[in-house]
Amino acid sequence: MTTSSLLEQRVIARIEREGPLSFAEYMRMVLYDPENGYYTAGLPRIGWSGDYFTSGDLGSFFAHCLGRQLYQMWEELGRPQPFRVWEQGAGRGELEQEVRASLQEERPEFAAALSYRSLDLQRGEDALSGETLQQLRQQEGEPQVILANELVDAFPVHLVEVHQGQLYEIYVDVDKGRLQAIAAAPSTPAVVGYLDRYCPRWRSFPDGWRAEINLAALRWVELQASLLRRGFLLVIDYGDRASQLYHRSRLRGTLLCYYQHRINEQPLMRPGEQDITAHVNFSALIDEGRRHGLRRRLFTTQRAWLERMGIFEELEGLRRTHFAAADQERASDRGQIALLRWYNLRQQVLALTDPAGLGNFKVLIMRR
Ligand SMILES: C[S@@+](CC[C@H](N)C(=O)[O-])C[C@H]1O[C@@H](n2cnc3c(N)ncnc32)[C@H](O)[C@@H]1O
């Protein structure tokens, strides 16, 4: 039996026992089920052979910029030794390797102080588990930086829909042995309170208007704030301010599923075999951070952040040092090869900074 049908049967059995599941609970099951969940079953998901790729799959520029950002933070905090960085939702830990490699070359003194810890649910390190993280903090010491690239978008979200000025929540139910979405009263007042706060005009929005409510992201920020005594929280993800995200023209919200590099909007299909994500409401992260003692330091696009961290200078520098043949000997084989390699690198930078793609991701830095 496939993962998908095994998990589907489990979901169906649970619904038959307990009644309809909130979409958030369904998402938690299909992404995090200990045996067959999308993130927990241990199959390769990221990269060219998986379901999607992330900034780290596009060469080393992203890691180099992150390394420079961490160096600035280290300096600002007075060069603590060791300097502990926790990356949460780190996947295969490739970003860590790239950051380490580049720093060893560029800034050996900092590389020696850096203690970089990659954490991921796939290794039982749940970013939403206070117990796990507090224990780690006790054993290894407090982190100065907590960072997450494309983690918060994976947290389970509640789905809500407006009908005639009323708010409904989407649940997953079973009909004739198949999963189906139904609308009913919100599962918790927190869902309505959240929407009232971040989208006060929802009552006048058109029928069928949908949005995602990421209550887990609030818990996550609170937990990270409790781990940081003095330091930074750095979040990179797709998403926006609430005013953009919860706009009346965005009729169907931002929930998307990824399966083998194709996007679909059918989260009840292939449970456990496809990723389900929603854009991050950065206004909520900023507010929640503030509530727990973190001040916003920077909120910008990935493009602007990479620019600040010198991505274009790095590219230009490489052109001069490694690809001079592309200019000086263009007619030769050597020149042609240099030119092609150079185009390849330039393409990586263009993809990372593309205003219609990764460049429009958001970067949030908060400080305590
Ligand atoms: C989209 S991937 C991003 C991976 C990596 N940060 C990157 O940029 O390539 C999301 C990662 O978050 C992990 N993840 C999801 N929920 C998590 C949780 N609650 N705690 C820790 N890791 C989690 C998944 O296992 C997955 O590796």
Side-chain angles (χ1 to χ4, degrees):
M1 199 178 267
T2 63
T3 299
S4 169
S5 42
L6 264 176
L7 195 55
E8 188 164 4
Q9 285 193 359
R10 286 249 270 291
V11 174
I12 290 175
R14 182 162 167 207
I15 294 172
E16 283 171 351
R17 247 185 358 258
E18 299 173 19
L21 300 177
S22 71
F23 185 81
E25 194 46 41
Y26 166 78
M27 193 166 159
R28 195 184 327 277
M29 266 188 100
V30 300
L31 295 185
Y32 300 101
D33 175 83
E35 278 163 45
N36 301 116
Y38 181 81
Y39 286 120
T40 32
L43 297 172
R45 305 301 195 183
I46 319 174
W48 300 102
S49 60
D51 296 321
Y52 53 87
F53 65 85
T54 62
S55 294
D57 293 306
L58 288 166
S60 310
F61 288 99
F62 185 77
H64 292 177
C65 288
L66 179 61
R68 284 178 217 125
Q69 176 67 75
L70 293 174
Y71 177 74
Q72 284 184 9
M73 290 171 168
W74 184 57
E75 291 262 290
E76 189 179 327
L77 293 174
R79 301 181 155 224
Q81 313 261 352
F83 182 62
R84 291 192 196 84
V85 174
W86 289 6
E87 185 191 343
Q88 300 201 353
R92 299 158 296 181
E94 285 179 345
L95 197 53
E96 169 186 347
Q97 285 167 26
E98 296 263 14
V99 168
R100 280 184 190 283
S102 76
L103 289 175
Q104 259 145 22
E105 213 169 284
E106 276 181 30
R107 302 184 196 280
E109 199 191 345
F110 176 47
L114 181 66
S115 155
Y116 195 120
R117 186 84 155 75
S118 290
L119 305 163
D120 199 281
L121 191 64
Q122 288 164 18
R123 292 186 292 268
E125 297 149 339
D126 186 352
L128 291 165
S129 159
E131 204 183 319
T132 308
L133 297 180
Q134 293 291 359
Q135 204 176 11
L136 191 71
R137 185 176 186 265
Q138 263 179 5
Q139 284 164 357
E140 301 189 3
E142 67 194 40
Q144 276 84 29
V145 178
I146 296 177
L147 70 93
N149 183 45
E150 292 201 46
L151 166 70
V152 180
D153 68 86
F155 291 156
V157 290
H158 293 262
L159 271 186
V160 292
E161 209 169 275
V162 173
H163 285 283
Q164 304 195 324
Q166 295 281 334
L167 195 67
Y168 293 84
E169 184 164 342
I170 302 299
Y171 294 79
V172 180
D173 200 358
V174 178
D175 184 42
K176 299 189 186 78
R178 302 194 58 172
L179 297 176
Q180 67 155 15
I182 58 161
S187 59
T188 146
V191 163
V192 189
Y194 184 108
L195 199 64
D196 278 341
R197 175 169 184 129
Y198 291 108
C199 180
R201 293 214 293 269
W202 64 263
R203 285 176 185 78
S204 67
F205 282 8
D207 276 3
W209 184 86
R210 243 188 203 197
E212 304 83 26
I213 309 282
N214 193 338
L215 298 179
L218 306 182
R219 287 210 314 281
W220 182 74
V221 171
E222 181 179 358
L223 176 55
Q224 309 323 307
S226 76
L227 296 165
L228 287 171
R229 200 173 50 87
R230 188 164 168 261
F232 297 92
L233 180 61
L234 164 57
V235 185
I236 306 176
D237 222 313
Y238 36 91
D240 220 320
R241 291 178 195 281
S243 55
Q244 298 300 313
L245 215 52
Y246 298 131
H247 198 272
R248 66 180 298 130
S249 65
R250 201 169 219 158
L251 276 180
R252 297 307 286 169
T254 66
L255 194 86
L256 288 178
C257 307
Y258 291 83
Y259 181 67
Q260 298 180 347
H261 292 283
R262 291 213 201 112
I263 294 177
N264 69 76
E265 294 179 23
Q266 300 186 40
L268 304 189
M269 251 173 37
R270 303 187 201 92
E273 285 189 2
Q274 57 176 7
D275 196 11
I276 308 177
T277 75
H279 282 36
V280 173
N281 173 6
F282 278 92
S283 304
L285 302 189
I286 293 168
D287 281 357
E288 199 59 18
R290 191 178 302 128
R291 198 167 300 143
H292 298 285
L294 302 178
R295 275 171 292 120
R296 180 180 64 178
R297 167 61 65 86
L298 176 79
F299 177 59
T300 188
T301 61
Q302 172 158 306
R303 181 188 170 87
W305 175 69
L306 290 171
E307 218 170 329
R308 277 168 86 123
M309 292 301 123
I311 195 167
F312 293 116
E313 283 89 345
E314 182 180 349
L315 183 65
E316 204 35 52
L318 284 171
R319 184 186 174 105
R320 283 196 306 272
T321 53
H322 289 63
F323 299 98
D327 291 329
Q328 293 158 7
E329 309 168 39
R330 189 159 294 188
S332 71
D333 279 1
R334 223 168 87 85
Q336 284 300 306
I337 291 168
L339 191 65
L340 287 175
R341 291 210 175 116
W342 158 254
Y343 281 157
N344 182 18
L345 281 186
R346 196 180 60 176
Q347 212 51 42
Q348 290 175 7
V349 171
L350 290 177
L352 285 169
T353 55
D354 177 6
L358 288 168
N360 192 35
F361 273 41
K362 302 298 180 300
V363 178
L364 170 65
I365 299 180
M366 289 188 279
R367 157 115 211 239
R368 189 202 291 286

